[in-house]
Amino acid sequence: MSLDASGRCRTWGEGVISGPMPFFQEPPTLGNQYTSDRPLRAYLERTLPDDVRREIEPELSEMGELSGGRMFELDRKHRGTEPKLTQWDAWGHRVDTIELTPVWQEAARIATEKGVVATAYERKHGEHSRIHQFALAYLFDGSTEVYSCPLAMTDGAAKTLQVHGNRDLVDRALPRLLSRDPARAWTSGQWMTERTGGSDVAISETVARKDGDAWRLYGTKWFTSATTSQMALTLARPEGNPPGGHGLALFYVETLDAEGRLRNIQVNRLKDKLGTRMVPTAELTLDGVEAVPVVGLTDGIRHIAPMLNVTRTWNAIGACVGMRRGLALARDYAKKRVAFGAPLADKPLHVDTLAGCQAELEGALLLAFRAVALLGKEEAKTLTEEEALLLRLLTPIVKATTAKQAVAVASEVLESFGGAGYIEDTGLPRILRDAQVLPIWEGTTNVLSLDLLRALGKSGTLAPIEREVKRLVERAHDGEHAKVAEAALGAVAHARAWVEGAIQRGQPAVEAGARRFALTLGRAWELALLVDQAAWASSRGDRRAGAAARRFARSGVDLVVDEDMGEDARALLEE
């Protein structure tokens, strides 16, 4: 064999083989993503009543087969396809139509028919309905090009309308948001980010003006995900209202008229993003779109909080999805890829690296589903006062912690493929790009850390978390589990001591350490959940959960730094 002058491959006696030289590596494949997911199945076996689990398992297995089979192949076939915006038709009319990818179109149908949102509100299984729903979502999301984005906002909109009880809006929108009929179903957007900034929504510039009996909105929304949704919840300031968050109101908007055209909304452009490129994220100009106040004409930020609590939970589940998908591909590839005389799966260092990632996934999964379980209890009205405090504290913690884990694991997953992990047409780089949005949207890590401090300021104590962690590790009787349990208890105790001391030093000290504080609580909580799961699993002869707990404990749990780092931080950033 030789190369000719053009670089094409020539074999002796056969002439030139046109095209580039082939890449002789076997690509990773997937099977049923439910039956192969030990941590998820173990969690459901332990958490759900047997009759509930037996009833929903066929649904979960079917979704796992879709995710690892037909949807995975559809996603691979259309890799690189992105939504397209057409602003003008051939005759000069402004049309602003967005063409969605084939994967998104199919994902929309499947999500609706399988009730990926509706399951939570049908409440067929009482307080376990949220676990059922998010197990479906976790299995569904991996091969759908982040179609979880509109589903999260749809879920959040349904929850918000339900909480505030505007009967006209509930009767009009909920049957569509929760429909299992693709011809009738709606999704919802969430329009908060403006040119003035993202997290500081109190300085929003969108104005609501009275027009007879109606309200009309005027302004620009700088980042609106899933712009093709039929409705949205958004913030605007009624004319005459004071500046700041109190002056904003929460509005309901239907985006399309009877002919399916945008109603006084212009799509300025689709955003050119690092990742989630299949999500049609746009800049919008609102030029008099009609809107309906959801509840009152003030305190819009407070009124949209139910939506954010739901979307942040979806974000945590999405982080687990990204880790699970990357590891499933990496583990399959490790069995096929031979290097230095043996499969990667036989290489101790490679196995050690993936094991660390697996431990991170298992901790994140348990923490995310702890939030899901509490949300389900809240909606079924079985939540205790103590659990209500836990849920308020857990929501920012779980979103911040799992998002950072997802980015770190995605980076390791790409590296585990070597050069193939850096090549676009393998589809692998998208795992890392898509993961990077998780610490950003629905509140950055710093914003969520400060939100946790606000929640603590209202409750006044970390005691609910301390009691939760202590309860979780009570079953750790053997020496190995007991040692790991002590690491979880010690980290929480250290976090409490730090925050009490920082409060004495003043607000700058508290804020400077808020991220380390929040992530310590998140990782300690995950470790406690892993210890609890390990004790349950080992009683059944399964030591794998124990291995995850031990490995996680060695990866760093207590991130708190006792001394005030503010002066050092400022010094480092001086010119």
Side-chain angles (χ1 to χ4, degrees), residues 28 77 82 124 170 173 175 181 185 200 292 333 349 358-359 364 371 466 557 564:
K77 177 181 178 182
E82 297 183 9
K124 186 176 179 182
V170 167
D181 178 2
D200 189 4
V292 179
Y333 184 71
L349 182 54
Q358 181 68 23
E466 290 182 292
V557 176
D564 186 350

Side-chain angles (χ1 to χ4, degrees), residues 249-317:
L250 177 61
F251 285 91
Y252 164 97
V253 172
E254 291 185 16
T255 58
L256 305 175
D257 63 20
E259 285 74 43
R261 296 171 301 197
L262 289 171
R263 303 165 62 242
N264 298 328
I265 300 170
Q266 292 182 347
V267 182
N268 300 329
R269 61 172 174 165
L270 294 182
K271 306 296 271 189
D272 188 9
K273 298 169 294 179
L274 171 68
T276 65
R277 296 185 65 88
M278 287 69 172
V279 180
T281 305
E283 291 180 21
L284 301 180
T285 294
L286 311 183
D287 189 21
V289 60
E290 189 171 338
V292 179
V294 174
V295 50
L297 293 175
T298 58
D299 296 314
I301 297 173
R302 177 164 58 87
H303 291 143
I304 206 170
M307 186 171 203
L308 295 177
N309 291 339
V310 170
T311 55
R312 285 170 177 174
T313 305
W314 274 85
N315 202 93
I317 293 295

Side-chain angles (χ1 to χ4, degrees), residues 402-483:
T402 59
K404 300 303 282 187
Q405 289 173 290
V407 176
V409 168
S411 179
E412 288 287 4
V413 163
L414 261 63
E415 189 175 341
S416 76
F417 282 90
Y422 205 65
I423 303 301
E424 282 294 340
D425 57 9
T426 65
L428 296 168
R430 198 178 84 196
I431 295 173
L432 179 56
R433 290 200 307 270
D434 288 354
Q436 187 57 64
V437 80
L438 295 166
I440 297 174
W441 63 12
E442 307 307 319
T444 64
T445 309
N446 287 356
V447 165
L448 291 162
S449 300
L450 297 175
D451 183 49
L452 173 62
L453 293 180
R454 283 191 293 274
L456 282 172
K458 291 180 179 179
S459 69
T461 178
L462 268 179
I465 296 178
E466 290 182 292
R467 286 192 288 268
E468 165 95 346
V469 169
K470 184 177 180 181
R471 177 187 65 80
L472 289 168
V473 302
E474 279 179 349
R475 296 178 52 170
H477 300 304
D478 65 85
E480 211 160 20
H481 288 161
K483 183 178 178 181

